[in-house]
Amino acid sequence: TGLTHKDVSVLALDPLTSSTLYAGTRGGGAFRSTDSGATWVAVRTGLPELDVRALAIDPANPTRLYSGTPSYGVSRSTDSGATWAAAREGLANLRTSALAIDPRNPATLFAGTHRGGIHRSTDSGGSWTAVNVGLPPYLDYLYVNSLAIDPMNPANVYAGTSSRFFKSIDSGGSWVAANSGPNFPDVLLAVAVDPA
């Protein structure tokens, strides 16, 4: 009810209030529910693009949200999605398809892009720097589809891409391919870490 655009790309759950969640849609922007998904309202004022492919919530301050879009990088909200503003200095217009926040230091977050590799911000999205050491040199063909951070050791960051599975043990300073086994897929669309 209220979710007028049903092509949902991403969901994000408020870590402190589990009945509050957000949906990023293709063409409809972002929506918020405060009753565990029973009803939804649009929260897209200031979003420069309504195709939302990534969402992340600050675990220490859940009123702070980040969204990623195909042609406008990252936007940030500090009022539970009511309004949004650009947070893409250093990202330009890179298509942002994945976001992950350091659970112990929420000012640090990562953005996975299509054709730009992985970028890191250490100032809550104020500015971004590429962190692509160890990723394939053909970044124009690399799609970073998903990112995950180890909650027990946030220096460990994982990236699922269109080329391989990568791991960093130094907060994105460098990456190594982590594929193993003969049937391990080359293309990964989602990555998750056991919180325990």
Side-chain angles (χ1 to χ4, degrees):
T1 299
L3 191 63
T4 55
H5 290 71
K6 295 181 175 62
D7 191 350
V8 176
S9 303
V10 61
L11 292 170
L13 184 69
D14 185 319
L16 299 183
T17 307
S18 60
S19 58
T20 297
L21 62 155
Y22 298 83
T25 69
R26 296 183 186 225
F31 291 79
R32 180 179 65 228
S33 172
T34 57
D35 54 11
S36 302
T39 60
W40 299 85
V41 295
V43 286
R44 55 186 175 224
T45 300
L47 270 180
E49 183 179 359
L50 297 182
D51 194 354
V52 176
R53 301 293 177 90
L55 286 172
I57 303 176
D58 184 328
N61 179 10
T63 62
R64 185 188 301 269
L65 311 171
Y66 301 87
S67 68
T69 60
S71 60
Y72 198 80
V74 174
S75 294
R76 179 178 54 212
S77 172
T78 57
D79 53 13
S80 302
T83 58
W84 298 84
R88 61 190 184 114
E89 182 182 331
L91 270 178
N93 294 327
L94 284 172
R95 177 179 182 179
T96 304
S97 48
L99 292 167
I101 297 180
D102 184 328
R104 295 190 185 177
N105 179 16
T108 297
L109 59 154
F110 294 84
T113 72
H114 285 196
R115 300 182 175 172
I118 299 170
H119 287 64
R120 180 179 60 205
S121 172
T122 57
D123 57 4
S124 301
S127 59
W128 298 85
T129 304
V131 286
N132 292 323
V133 174
L135 293 180
Y138 46 87
L139 289 180
D140 280 353
Y141 301 97
L142 184 70
Y143 287 11
V144 180
N145 300 313
S146 57
L147 293 167
I149 298 176
D150 182 343
M152 303 300 287
N153 182 3
N156 294 336
V157 186
Y158 303 91
T161 78
S162 59
S163 174
R164 297 186 79 179
F165 181 52
F166 292 91
K167 178 182 180 179
S168 172
I169 60 171
D170 56 5
S171 299
S174 60
W175 301 87
V176 295
N179 296 40
S180 65
N183 298 316
F184 199 92
D186 286 334
V187 178
L188 283 97
L189 299 179
V191 176
V193 181
D194 185 328

